[in-house]
Amino acid sequence: MPVVSVSREGEIAVVTVDNPPVNALSQAVRRALFDATTELDADDGVKAVVLACAGRTFSAGTDLSEFGKTPMEPHLPDLVNRIEASVKPWIAAIHGTALGGGFEIALGCRFRVTVPDAAIGLPEVTLGIVPGASGTVRTPRLVGAEAAVELVTGGKPVKAAKALSMGLVDAVVQGDLLQSVLAFASDAVARPLPVPLSQRTVAAPASTFWEDKKGAIAKRAKGETAPLAALECVRMAVELSFDEALAFERKTFLDLRASEQAAALRAVFFAERAARRPAGLKGVEPLPLRKAGVVGGGTMGAGITVALRDAGIPVVLIERDAEAVARGLANVRTIFEGGVKRAKLTKSQAEAKLAGVTASTDCGLLADADMVIEAVFEELGVKRTVFNQLGRLCRPDSIIATNTSYLDLRLIAEGVPDPSRFIGLHFFSPANIMRLLEIVPIPETAPRTLATGFALARALDKIPVQAGICEGFIGNRILKRYRAAAEALVYDGVPIAEIDAAMRDYGFAMGPFEAQDLGGLDIAYLQREGARANGRDVPETLGDILVRAGRKGQKTGGGWYDYAGDRKPQPSAVVAELLAGKIARMTAHSAIAGHLVGEMAAEGDAILAEGVAGQPSDIDLVEIHGYGFPRWRGGPMFARAHSHRQQDV
Ligand code: NAD
């Protein structure tokens, strides 16, 4: 099958790209499209050209497998220019997504027509680069500087309706796309054609626009370079001629493509893709998930219920007694109402989602669930009783999962009839938002159970990472080491605020101490106390001293910092006093972040050596998706491996 074919519908030519799975713009596709422009320009019988794509989507853009290789002609910017320069107007017929290079090809066309569920965008910044084939130059010429800045610096695709209102597309059509676009084409050629984008100019925005945007984007980007570079490209597109702006964009694109940040973001992108479908589970059919059960409607149970409902899966939510049932349902409702407040959901959508939750004390309702996830108190006895019941009541082929954070899964599963269906599914709080899902099999877990865990992650749009059994799995184990290392710096005399600031500079939203104040110091404290009560030798931490003094974090008005009625952390004289005898000396510490990230990576080494994680990139995914590690640093393992190139690690 040729990757590009040309057919005729009367006086309209239809050029179809057929390069599965996502019609990436490989060299063969670019060459064939280039040739098509020449062929059709020479054909007097053709009045207009429709550019369509076969399969599930319009072109999703650059062929990522060509990344890092010597670029081969024709280059994408030349192809986009060539399409625009065609004697016959080209019309892009967009279904699925037109992203990056895919959308840039559409920008070379004189018109863009989409179906209602199509999405278009320039997501290059998420890979640490900017569009490299006129996306930053033609987009402002199409929709103005403000809208272009939003699209290019944010990287978020927009749905067809919004694209139409922004002016990114000319029409959104119902029904058969090709037939509608053929009709659109016949109509369009009967009227004067719009001026090609390369020949248009852009109105300059308000005088403060660029500085304001720069400030806002720098704040959001936290050290990531591509969004600011993308802003600069749009600014040049407004201030320079088309050709000059194109040259500026190309140079920026090539510089960024060779940068360490782009390498990190590419590595994370490929790691995520691989994580969704582990090679070891090829050919293993997961169990279809038509109905799920959740036991426990607290923080995690409610969030998991919402995540399942967001994926369209009906949920039975089980609680201990009538009062707890009402509370659990209220927890779920509160999350949906939050979605309505933030305009993520309409009221009726929220109601429909809530209507798909059956809350009860009756475990018998779980009898026909395909999967049941337990999220009750973190106590072995309580969990064992629950699984004992589930083992008896649930369909023999259903999957039963625990959301435990620290308990030994083998002990929870003890006594469960047929433990091949038992698995750990460790969600992160808030479970409907955080993308990480640690999947933890026990030795008896069947491949199908494991495959269903991964299928659940895909259905919930989460990033699954398989972890082995140990206290805290991958993420919480590294968190423990990270916090201990941060405390060790405090012992050495590095001010708490300086450590937090160093990690914010590194790209985290919060440093380790601020984050503890937000989440509460008591959870980890109680866990340490529990271990001590069981006779384990857990050395006293600085956190223990604070909790014993009543400083559990923001909720008690103070933890590592004081809070004067707001969320702004202020260095605390009380803490200084409490820790006074503990701190050895004041030492300057110039590489705090590098040290702490090194500690995380060292724990990662131990985790790998024990087989708790399968590969370094899994550890990176856990840190990025569960613990706020800056994505553009690639994760602790990537950052350490590339530390000779990252100046400040
Ligand atoms: P929570 O205290 O908010 O909720 C626990 C719920 O379980 C309560 O509503 C309680 O009524 C209910 N429950 C207790 N026994 C029950 C029983 N026999 N049958 C039915 N319901 C019962 O706790 P949480 O924070 O949601 O944590 C739940 C589990 O998830 C724990 O194992 C915890 O370690 C784990 N976890 C928590 C987090 C987190 O950040 N909170 C993150 C990941 C995992």
Side-chain angles (χ1 to χ4, degrees):
M1 272 295 286
V3 286
V4 172
S5 57
V6 180
S7 62
R8 314 285 148 118
E9 295 283 339
E11 292 183 315
I12 315 289
V14 180
V15 174
T16 307
V17 178
D18 190 1
N19 184 26
V22 292
N23 295 309
L25 298 166
S26 64
Q27 194 262 343
V29 171
R30 297 197 301 273
R31 173 86 272 153
L33 285 175
F34 209 93
D35 292 346
T37 59
T38 314
E39 175 194 329
L40 295 170
D41 268 0
D43 188 335
D44 291 339
V46 170
K47 290 240 158 37
V49 182
V50 172
L51 174 62
C53 288
R56 62 179 155 98
T57 182
F58 193 77
S59 175
T62 308
D63 190 341
L64 289 177
S65 67
E66 286 183 13
F67 251 79
K69 297 193 184 145
T70 314
M72 284 186 298
E73 291 187 337
H75 302 305
L76 195 56
D78 299 333
L79 175 61
V80 176
N81 286 343
R82 179 64 188 88
I83 290 175
E84 189 189 69
S86 289
V87 184
K88 321 290 162 66
W90 281 51
I91 301 153
I94 299 169
H95 72 295
T97 53
L99 298 179
F103 181 55
E104 289 173 308
I105 285 276
L107 284 171
C109 297
R110 209 60 74 91
F111 301 98
R112 287 146 295 279
V113 178
T114 76
V115 291
D117 63 354
I120 58 182
L122 293 166
E124 282 84 348
V125 289
T126 62
L127 286 172
I129 54 175
V130 294
S134 84
T136 69
V137 186
R138 280 192 170 89
T139 307
R141 284 168 166 75
L142 181 64
V143 296
E146 282 94 340
V149 164
E150 184 187 329
L151 203 69
V152 173
T153 64
K156 272 211 187 89
V158 291
K159 281 278 165 60
K162 185 169 181 207
L164 184 65
S165 70
M166 289 167 79
L168 286 165
V169 301
D170 301 280
V172 178
V173 296
Q174 307 282 341
D176 185 85
L177 176 61
L178 186 60
Q179 289 311 315
S180 303
V181 179
L182 288 171
F184 182 97
S186 308
D187 199 40
V189 291
R191 288 181 282 119
L193 290 174
V195 176
L197 295 178
S198 65
Q199 290 167 32
R200 299 188 198 174
T201 51
V202 200
S207 58
T208 56
F209 175 76
W210 299 113
E211 282 313 307
D212 289 352
K213 277 286 161 197
K214 197 170 169 182
I217 292 169
K219 200 163 167 217
R220 206 173 57 212
K222 298 191 184 75
E224 198 173 346
T225 51
L228 281 172
L231 178 72
E232 196 58 15
C233 286
V234 180
R235 181 173 188 165
M236 291 303 123
V238 173
E239 294 178 355
L240 303 179
S241 72
F242 179 83
D243 288 339
E244 287 167 335
L246 211 55
F248 184 85
E249 179 196 72
R250 191 74 191 158
K251 181 170 181 333
T252 309
F253 167 79
L254 292 173
D255 287 350
L256 286 179
R257 199 173 68 161
S259 71
E260 190 60 24
Q261 290 196 8
L265 288 163
R266 270 199 305 277
V268 176
F269 174 86
F270 285 118
E272 284 170 354
R273 218 162 59 163
R276 285 191 192 102
R277 291 180 193 279
L281 289 172
K282 239 191 180 132
V284 183
E285 267 304 300
L287 186 74
L289 294 171
R290 287 166 303 228
K291 180 175 172 183
V294 174
V295 184
T299 310
M300 293 309 288
I304 295 168
T305 300
V306 170
L308 289 162
R309 290 301 300 129
D310 284 346
I313 301 171
V315 180
V316 171
L317 177 61
I318 301 295
E319 262 288 356
R320 295 180 287 175
D321 51 42
E323 207 179 297
V325 167
R327 212 171 37 235
L329 204 55
N331 290 342
V332 174
R333 187 181 294 118
T334 304
I335 301 175
F336 285 136
E337 282 171 357
V340 174
K341 267 192 211 126
R342 280 176 284 112
K344 298 262 182 231
L345 282 179
T346 64
K347 227 173 159 142
S348 65
Q349 282 170 331
E351 274 160 18
K353 288 189 183 207
L354 196 61
V357 182
T358 310
S360 173
T361 52
D362 179 7
C363 283
L365 296 177
L366 299 172
D368 62 343
D370 300 299
M371 174 185 273
V372 178
I373 303 168
E374 165 277 314
V376 303
F377 300 136
E378 185 76 340
E379 283 170 37
L380 186 59
V382 180
K383 289 200 194 281
R384 281 174 104 149
T385 310
V386 167
F387 278 97
N388 198 298
Q389 259 181 323
L390 294 180
R392 280 186 287 111
L393 290 171
C394 294
R395 230 176 49 214
D397 69 330
S398 66
I399 284 158
I400 49 179
T402 175
N403 181 46
T404 182
S405 305
Y406 293 99
L407 298 174
D408 188 331
L409 296 168
R410 290 163 298 200
L411 300 180
I412 299 177
E414 227 168 54
V416 170
D418 186 13
S420 72
R421 60 196 176 125
F422 181 90
I423 195 161
L425 293 176
H426 186 217
F427 288 79
F428 290 73
S429 183
N432 57 312
I433 292 175
M434 294 299 283
R435 293 197 69 204
L436 178 63
L437 180 66
E438 284 180 328
I439 299 185
V440 196
I442 58 171
E444 294 87 351
T445 300
R448 195 186 67 147
T449 307
L450 191 57
T452 308
F454 280 90
L456 175 76
R458 285 195 292 277
L460 269 45
D461 193 24
K462 300 214 177 285
I463 306 289
V465 171
Q466 186 171 330
I469 297 172
C470 70
E471 194 177 271
F473 310 124
I474 300 175
N476 281 340
R477 211 174 127 170
I478 294 179
L479 179 66
K480 195 170 163 189
R481 171 94 170 238
Y482 170 50
R483 286 182 176 167
E487 284 201 6
L489 290 179
V490 176
Y491 275 113
D492 275 355
V494 183
I496 293 166
E498 200 183 304
I499 298 169
D500 279 340
M503 296 319 283
R504 262 184 274 114
D505 281 354
Y506 187 80
F508 281 83
M510 264 184 254
F513 300 109
E514 300 164 298
Q516 284 181 67
D517 275 357
L518 183 66
L521 278 68
D522 46 334
I523 301 168
Y525 168 77
L526 288 175
Q527 202 217 330
R528 287 190 295 273
E529 284 290 275
R532 287 172 189 136
N534 286 333
R536 280 181 45 199
D537 177 25
V538 180
E540 183 185 58
T541 67
L542 297 181
D544 292 340
I545 299 170
L546 298 195
V547 174
R548 286 188 196 124
R551 300 185 66 94
K552 297 182 186 170
Q554 283 191 25
K555 61 185 171 190
T556 59
W560 292 98
Y561 297 94
D562 289 340
Y563 298 87
D566 56 19
R567 287 164 169 255
K568 231 178 147 229
Q570 309 285 353
S572 167
V574 179
V575 171
E577 184 125 333
L578 280 168
L579 306 184
K582 306 280 173 188
I583 293 168
R585 65 202 129 87
M586 292 293 287
T587 47
H589 208 293
S590 56
I592 295 166
H595 172 69
L596 293 184
V597 171
E599 283 292 302
M600 291 170 151
E603 191 64 22
D605 289 338
I607 285 169
L608 284 169
E610 291 167 32
V612 168
Q615 52 207 337
S617 63
D618 281 349
I619 290 171
D620 288 338
L621 290 182
V622 165
E623 290 303 307
I624 290 167
H625 289 293
Y627 295 85
F629 200 99
R631 184 182 176 90
W632 55 270
R633 297 269 190 190
M637 307 306 278
F638 184 97
R640 186 188 51 183
H642 294 74
S643 57
H644 58 289
R645 293 181 63 188
Q646 288 190 0
Q647 303 147 358
D648 48 351
V649 177

